[in-house]
Amino acid sequence: MANDTLLDIAMNHADRLILKAQSGDDGAFNRLVSLWYKRMYNYSFKYAGSHDLAMDITQNTFIAVHQKIGQLRDVASFKSWLYRIAINCSHEEIRKQKRTSGVSLNDTIYHKDDEHLDIADDLRYQPDAGLQRQELADQIMLALQSLSEEQRIVVIMKEYEALKFREIAEALEISENTAKSRLYYGLKHLRSKLAKVIYENKMEVL
Amino acid sequence: MSWIPNETEIVDYLYGELAPDKLKDFEEYMQQNPDFEREVQTLKQTQKLLPSLADEQVVQPKPFILESRKRSTLHGSRKWLLPLSIAASLAAIMLAGYFAQFSMTIGEDGLRVAFYNEQPIPEAAITKDEVQALIDSSVRQVSDQWQNQASQLQVSFASQLAHNKRLTETEIKRVAAMKPQAEIDEDQILNFIAQLKDENKKMIQNFYRESAEDQQAKIRHVLVEYNEYLDKQRQEDLQFIQSNMLALRSTSELKQEETDKILASIITTVNNQNSFGE
């Protein structure tokens, strides 16, 4: 079809892979994994705040997808179905982590440059120095980890995974309004956590 | 104005999903309520800051599923899958052959397989005539050896015959000398001659049998060598074809992987653009 956009072609390609994977084609399943692996890893990493946990969650997600892909009725809802499985695997993995180390679901696991948590109280803090790109990313990561799990999932899905509100609602099995509400409070919380960063970077009002 | 935007509508505004009629009211409300406007703007600033946390690069362990699974399917019997996959494989091979300009021709000099532009076949290290010449030479060599042996045997045979003749003559002389002393039984002489004939006959039979066996062994040896040479040539041809097929498959897989990566990138990028554009 001459009028197909690149996205149409890509989505058709992905849909065909899903159908093949459903009929037992492991090659197609492997290619489907390669299409979504980076996204699943990054979702898991931002959710769990740990590379090792993210790897485990991603692997478990695709194992579950492999086992359940035959149950997927509507190929069009694959994306939200995939994220729903990722959410469940994330819960399970964090629960395991909690059992073994006593970490709360809402506790911060992200340890990279932990001193930034108390950066405002740090006497060495220099407002004029400005944050390097990696430092800024670390700050945001820490702020994300400080969100409640419900808010964190919605913020990651909307801001980093670019899901539509309908897809977020499907993945979490909640209403769209509930998803929006969680996002609103999530953003508010992030704003308070990142207030100094916003000030530091002299961000202009859009 | 009695309408006050709720959190859902604020989010809709932030993500550009507010309906046009509500958008006007929203903006009016912001103008009239500076505190509200400040709150919305700080939320926008936060939104603007979030993309600074970029995607992590990750290496996917491959392949994810190693073994072919066998599980029940919701789509009924898969008996048709085998012939279909064979047909698809053949089609893929034909397609790959088409793109790789695969050609196979049968000419006077045998089967020719080529990928991309057919290169003229370099002069073979050994031609058919040369092979024939080699065989002829080998057979000639064997024949010469056989003739040498035959002549040696002939000489030996002649000397043996001469020896036997001498022995016979000596014996006849001895018998003749003995004649006056005793009557020689004619039967004994005939037996003696018959014995000599038998010995000569056996000797000639052995000579021919050994020669024939020797010749057969030599010819068998030549044929085995020629067969080994043909086998070696065939193996080299097969290895050449196999290495080309492997290279072709490797290229196809690489292209497929690149395509998948590009498509994955397109899905993410265009989705992002669509999402932020909404």
Side-chain angles (χ1 to χ4, degrees), chain B residues 29-43:
Chain B
Y29 186 83
M30 274 205 299
Q31 280 176 358
Q32 290 162 9
N33 297 277
D35 288 345
F36 177 76
E37 185 181 13
R38 199 161 30 252
E39 186 190 346
V40 172
Q41 296 305 348
T42 53
L43 287 175

Side-chain angles (χ1 to χ4, degrees), chain A:
Chain A
M1 283 174 278
N3 293 328
D4 277 357
T5 63
L6 279 177
L7 180 63
D8 291 332
I9 294 165
M11 295 313 289
N12 285 337
H13 174 74
D15 288 353
R16 278 200 302 277
L17 287 181
I18 295 164
L19 289 171
K20 281 183 185 174
Q22 282 187 316
S23 67
D25 183 341
D26 283 339
F29 180 80
N30 281 332
R31 291 174 65 196
L32 198 59
V33 172
S34 68
L35 280 181
W36 286 100
Y37 194 87
K38 189 180 173 188
R39 293 269 44 85
M40 285 300 102
Y41 171 80
N42 274 282
Y43 165 80
S44 308
F45 180 68
K46 289 185 181 80
Y47 171 86
S50 148
H51 168 74
D52 291 342
L53 271 176
M55 290 298 280
D56 288 345
I57 292 169
T58 308
Q59 180 174 308
N60 292 341
T61 299
F62 284 114
I63 289 170
V65 169
H66 187 256
Q67 288 166 348
K68 296 176 183 174
I69 197 159
Q71 298 166 16
L72 176 68
R73 298 288 177 188
D74 181 12
V75 172
S77 62
F78 175 78
K79 195 174 175 184
S80 47
W81 179 79
L82 177 63
Y83 278 94
R84 182 156 67 243
I85 289 176
I87 291 164
N88 291 337
C89 289
S90 307
H91 283 158
E92 187 57 35
E93 204 56 41
I94 295 290
R95 215 171 284 135
K96 266 195 245 169
Q97 183 80 7
K98 187 187 169 187
R99 275 202 299 273
T100 52
S101 64
V103 177
S104 155
L105 279 182
N106 287 330
D107 281 354
T108 299
I109 298 169
Y110 192 63
H111 297 301
K112 197 172 181 181
D113 297 331
D114 251 2
E115 67 271 20
H116 289 309
L117 273 179
D118 303 321
I119 200 161
D121 302 326
D122 192 338
L123 292 175
R124 291 168 300 172
Y125 179 61
Q126 297 174 1
D128 296 337
L131 291 171
Q132 297 298 314
R133 194 174 186 80
Q134 186 55 49
E135 289 173 337
L136 179 58
D138 290 344
Q139 290 274 27
I140 295 167
M141 191 66 171
L142 287 169
L144 272 179
Q145 302 307 306
S146 71
L147 291 175
S148 74
E149 191 194 15
E150 286 180 343
Q151 291 170 4
R152 186 161 71 239
I153 290 173
V154 176
V155 169
I156 295 169
M157 282 184 162
K158 189 65 190 169
E159 283 294 333
Y160 296 102
E161 300 305 314
L163 265 70
K164 298 181 175 75
F165 284 115
R166 176 185 54 76
E167 291 170 328
I168 295 172
E170 275 178 19
L172 290 167
E173 295 175 314
I174 55 175
S175 70
E176 284 191 37
N177 279 347
T178 306
K180 286 174 185 173
S181 177
R182 287 181 186 178
L183 182 60
Y184 171 76
Y185 288 107
L187 287 175
K188 273 187 83 168
H189 184 87
L190 288 175
R191 182 188 63 190
S192 67
K193 283 283 172 185
L194 298 169
K196 282 199 174 295
V197 180
I198 293 168
Y199 171 79
E200 179 69 16
N201 284 267
K202 294 185 174 67
M203 293 184 73
E204 291 175 4
V205 172
L206 296 173

Side-chain angles (χ1 to χ4, degrees), chain B residues 128-146:
Chain B
K128 189 178 171 184
D129 292 341
E130 283 172 338
V131 171
Q132 189 60 48
L134 274 176
I135 292 169
D136 289 347
S137 150
S138 191
V139 169
R140 204 177 304 119
Q141 197 180 353
V142 171
S143 176
D144 289 346
Q145 281 177 358
W146 178 78

Side-chain angles (χ1 to χ4, degrees), chain B residues 21-50:
Chain B
D21 53 332
K22 277 195 177 177
L23 180 62
K24 197 181 168 188
D25 293 342
F26 192 94
E27 283 169 347
E28 257 178 43
Y29 186 83
M30 274 205 299
Q31 280 176 358
Q32 290 162 9
N33 297 277
D35 288 345
F36 177 76
E37 185 181 13
R38 199 161 30 252
E39 186 190 346
V40 172
Q41 296 305 348
T42 53
L43 287 175
K44 270 197 171 184
Q45 289 168 344
T46 309
Q47 252 191 312
K48 190 181 173 187
L49 196 63
L50 292 180

Side-chain angles (χ1 to χ4, degrees), chain B residues 31-176:
Chain B
Q31 280 176 358
Q32 290 162 9
N33 297 277
D35 288 345
F36 177 76
E37 185 181 13
R38 199 161 30 252
E39 186 190 346
V40 172
Q41 296 305 348
T42 53
L43 287 175
K44 270 197 171 184
Q45 289 168 344
T46 309
Q47 252 191 312
K48 190 181 173 187
L49 196 63
L50 292 180
S52 301
L53 175 58
D55 275 350
E56 294 285 318
Q57 295 305 317
V58 62
V59 178
Q60 180 200 339
K62 287 179 131 180
F64 193 78
I65 302 296
L66 282 172
E67 293 183 11
S68 183
R69 61 183 171 168
K70 286 182 180 175
R71 64 176 179 82
S72 60
T73 172
L74 296 171
H75 303 284
S77 169
R78 303 203 321 249
K79 283 178 185 171
W80 51 271
L81 272 181
L82 181 63
L84 189 66
S85 19
I86 291 169
S89 305
L90 284 174
I93 289 167
M94 286 168 72
L95 193 65
Y98 172 77
F99 284 117
Q101 296 172 22
F102 177 81
S103 68
M104 189 184 284
T105 52
I106 299 173
E108 288 178 359
D109 50 351
L111 180 69
R112 296 181 70 184
V113 177
F115 293 93
Y116 299 103
N117 293 328
E118 187 176 347
Q119 299 294 322
I121 292 179
E123 282 301 317
I126 186 161
T127 65
K128 189 178 171 184
D129 292 341
E130 283 172 338
V131 171
Q132 189 60 48
L134 274 176
I135 292 169
D136 289 347
S137 150
S138 191
V139 169
R140 204 177 304 119
Q141 197 180 353
V142 171
S143 176
D144 289 346
Q145 281 177 358
W146 178 78
Q147 277 183 356
N148 282 339
Q149 283 182 351
S151 51
Q152 281 172 6
L153 281 168
Q154 205 169 4
V155 168
S156 161
F157 178 60
S159 72
Q160 186 69 33
L161 276 177
H163 176 67
N164 283 348
K165 190 178 174 186
R166 273 198 307 276
L167 279 177
T168 310
E169 283 171 359
T170 311
E171 193 65 21
I172 288 168
K173 279 176 186 173
R174 190 177 64 80
V175 170

